[in-house]
């Protein structure tokens, strides 16, 4: 696939998102995947954004739901990602994975495999140092670090209700999970 082909595909993804409000659109394993967004998803993102923003030095910035092309077959839009502020200020539609120091995903019912399996492997292959998953259906937070060719080599799982601290290249970051929403039909798998 050429750069022109990738630009064309990215343009098509943008149009899909415009035509289907309330859905996020990504390329996963070469397929276009659209996932509906639920209220707890946004509520979790806003809480994490607020808590994380206060901990970042001014040279770092948050982006959300902005394209991070990993390869021809994978283009993700992390719910939150930390990149250099000078890059964010360019206000682009996509950013290289090499700029991402931390990727955060909030699980939705249709994204379980993608968040836990596919993105674990792909974010690690792309060299993103830390990946954190917040799951309102299992009421848990999963932190991953030490990226390798097959996924992250380090992983811890924490139940919601406590403060989770994560060591990142930016320093230690903390997430208060006590007030994060938990789906009333909480999954038990």
């Amino acid at each position: 696939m050429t750069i022109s082909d990738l630009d064309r595909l990215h343009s098509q993804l943008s149009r899909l998102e415009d035509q289907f409000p309330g859905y996020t659109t990504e390329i996963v394993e070469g397929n276009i995947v659209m996932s509906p967004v639920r209220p707890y998803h946004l509520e979790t993102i806003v809480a994490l954004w607020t808590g994380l923003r206060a901990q970042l030095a001014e040279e770092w910035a948050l982006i959300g739901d902005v394209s991070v092309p990993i390869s021809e077959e994978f283009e993700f839009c992390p719910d939150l990602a930390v990149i250099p502020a000078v890059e964010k200020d360019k206000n682009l539609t996509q950013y290289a994975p090499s700029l991402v120091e931390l990727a955060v995903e909030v699980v939705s019912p249709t994204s379980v495999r993608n968040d836990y399996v596919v993105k674990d492997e792909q974010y690690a292959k792309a060299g993103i140092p830390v990946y954190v998953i917040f799951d309102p259906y299992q009421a848990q937070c999963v932190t991953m670090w030490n990226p390798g060719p097959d996924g992250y080599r380090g992983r811890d799982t924490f139940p919601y209700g406590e403060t989770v601290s994560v060591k990142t290249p930016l320093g230690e970051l903390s997430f208060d999970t006590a007030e994060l929403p938990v789906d009333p039909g909480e999954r038990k798998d």
Side-chain angles (χ1 to χ4, degrees):
M1 200 175 271
T2 66
I3 296 297
S4 178
D5 290 338
L6 287 175
D7 288 342
R8 210 172 6 261
L9 184 57
H10 184 70
S11 174
Q12 291 171 344
L13 286 178
S14 295
R15 280 197 303 275
L16 274 175
E17 286 183 337
D18 291 342
Q19 292 174 4
F20 297 94
Y23 285 81
T24 60
T25 307
E26 299 178 307
I27 300 172
V28 179
E29 298 174 320
N31 298 303
I32 295 175
V33 176
M34 296 179 68
S35 302
V37 178
R38 296 177 182 219
Y40 281 2
H41 191 266
L42 180 60
E43 187 177 334
T44 300
I45 292 169
V46 169
L48 296 172
W49 182 292
T50 303
L52 192 52
R53 181 70 217 130
Q55 298 176 66
L56 295 177
E58 67 181 40
E59 64 265 19
W60 297 101
L62 289 165
I63 59 171
D65 209 20
V66 177
S67 177
V68 177
I70 305 293
S71 68
E72 289 182 9
E73 292 188 7
F74 296 96
E75 181 176 314
F76 300 129
C77 298
D79 291 319
L80 292 175
V82 177
I83 65 171
V86 295
E87 295 297 327
K88 191 261 323 178
D89 289 342
K90 294 176 182 176
N91 199 33
L92 303 174
T93 58
Q94 61 183 1
Y95 293 91
S98 60
L99 297 172
V100 178
E101 296 294 331
L102 168 71
V104 176
E105 297 289 358
V106 177
V107 174
S108 64
T110 59
S111 73
V112 175
R113 179 179 174 277
N114 290 340
D115 290 340
Y116 280 101
V117 179
V118 177
K119 291 179 182 179
D120 172 359
E121 181 179 320
Q122 294 303 314
Y123 283 160
K125 279 184 182 177
I128 295 172
V130 179
Y131 174 37
V132 183
I133 300 171
F134 291 88
D135 188 336
Y137 302 94
Q138 291 193 39
Q140 69 181 17
C141 169
V142 179
T143 62
M144 297 180 220
W145 67 95
N146 193 9
D150 298 319
Y152 289 89
R153 296 179 188 118
R155 174 189 292 241
D156 284 320
T157 301
F158 302 94
Y160 277 11
E162 57 189 72
T163 298
V164 175
S165 294
V166 181
K167 291 181 182 171
T168 76
L170 312 171
E172 189 166 300
L173 299 172
S174 297
F175 301 93
D176 181 3
T177 65
E179 299 300 319
L180 294 180
V182 175
D183 187 80
E186 181 182 340
R187 253 188 6 245
K188 300 291 184 196
D189 48 47

